Amino acid sequence: DTGVSQDPRHKITKRGQNVTFRCDPISEHNRLYWYRQTLGQGPEFLTYFQNEAQLEKSRLLSDRFSAERPKGSFSTLEIQRTEQGDSAMYLCASSLAKASGGQNEQFFGPGTRLTVL
Amino acid sequence: DQQVKQNSPSLSVQEGRISILNCDYTNSMFDYFLWYKKYPAEGPTFLISISSIKDKNEDGRFTVFLNKSAKHLSLHIVPSQPGDSAVYFCAATAGTYKYIFGTGTRLKVLA
């Protein structure tokens, strides 16, 4: 399977605990994105990497959230001191930025569903 | 501020008929639009896209129409099949990598 993979698929945690999610993008893709989706809403942009550089963070990404993409391959999203409002589906996507520019579709993984009790 | 709106939360269509899903946007800087399909327990799957320099793009049974003056786009599925039953999201971007998604329309194709 050469698509975007995410681990774990489901995570249940207690309020105040830290959680970490992993995303493995499509291997040749140099851009990686994190989105969050809550019930009845579309995905909301959280952050974006070009290779290993984190180039933008949404204001939705509070100080308790941190994302990394060491070596420009897989990425991790950590949430510290989780709150019940963090319960959501966390989606990772990747795309290939061409040197010639233009738009390239983002390909999404299956998501990690987080439930904070 | 919802920049991309899908005002119909659900739509039911008979198999073989046309499904029309609508999307409105407010940001005139958007220059690229996409439709994604989402099945339960899966991530969104890219379906079709259109640049703002075009008003129509077709791919098999799927056609996207863009009306820039009305800030409106629509997805036509002809003929509709039961396997098309899913949630459809439209998304838009303004020359960047950040997609702004609508809230989705749940399509149910009745056999």
Side-chain angles (χ1 to χ4, degrees), chain A:
Chain A
D1 186 9
T2 57
V4 178
S5 61
Q6 293 187 244
D7 184 69
R9 295 290 304 275
H10 303 273
K11 179 70 177 179
I12 300 174
T13 191
K14 293 183 179 179
R15 187 178 51 176
Q17 298 294 304
N18 299 342
V19 294
T20 300
F21 310 140
R22 176 180 170 121
C23 171
D24 286 273
I26 294 172
S27 58
E28 63 268 26
H29 284 185
N30 51 8
R31 289 184 173 173
L32 186 147
Y33 316 80
W34 286 98
Y35 289 81
R36 182 176 70 186
Q37 184 177 15
T38 53
L39 197 62
Q41 301 296 315
E44 295 175 289
F45 172 83
L46 292 179
T47 190
Y48 148 69
F49 291 84
Q50 171 117 357
N51 299 312
E52 66 275 9
Q54 188 175 19
L55 298 186
E56 184 172 338
K57 291 167 58 173
S58 163
R59 57 182 170 79
L60 294 175
L61 216 63
S62 75
D63 291 344
R64 298 184 296 105
F65 289 69
S66 62
E68 294 182 343
R69 193 184 182 198
K71 303 177 184 177
S73 55
F74 71 92
S75 175
T76 58
L77 177 67
E78 181 183 16
I79 309 174
Q80 296 181 326
R81 305 181 304 281
T82 53
E83 302 173 355
Q84 287 183 327
D86 298 331
S87 295
M89 174 75 82
Y90 290 84
L91 293 162
C92 176
S94 69
S95 70
L96 177 64
K98 299 175 186 171
S100 57
Q103 285 289 348
N104 295 285
E105 293 75 32
Q106 297 177 17
F107 293 86
F108 283 81
T112 294
R113 180 167 297 283
L114 172 66
T115 302
V116 181
L117 302 176

Side-chain angles (χ1 to χ4, degrees), chain B residues 8-82:
Chain B
S8 298
S10 63
L11 174 69
S12 291
V13 172
Q14 284 294 133
E15 180 180 7
R17 305 295 291 269
I18 183 171
S19 296
I20 300 176
L21 296 99
N22 294 303
C23 181
D24 297 295
Y25 61 95
T26 57
N27 189 342
S28 57
M29 299 299 292
F30 287 147
D31 60 1
Y32 195 69
F33 304 87
L34 309 95
W35 284 94
Y36 280 83
K37 178 170 71 174
K38 187 179 184 306
Y39 292 118
E42 296 183 11
T45 301
F46 169 72
L47 204 53
I48 193 169
S49 61
I50 188 168
S51 165
S52 61
I53 63 173
K54 296 184 177 181
D55 54 19
K56 177 182 175 181
N57 188 27
E58 192 172 353
D59 183 2
R61 296 186 298 115
F62 302 92
T63 303
V64 56
F65 295 92
L66 176 62
N67 183 334
K68 288 188 291 295
S69 61
K71 295 191 176 66
H72 177 84
L73 69 155
S74 61
L75 174 68
H76 293 209
I77 306 174
V78 181
S80 301
Q81 300 173 353

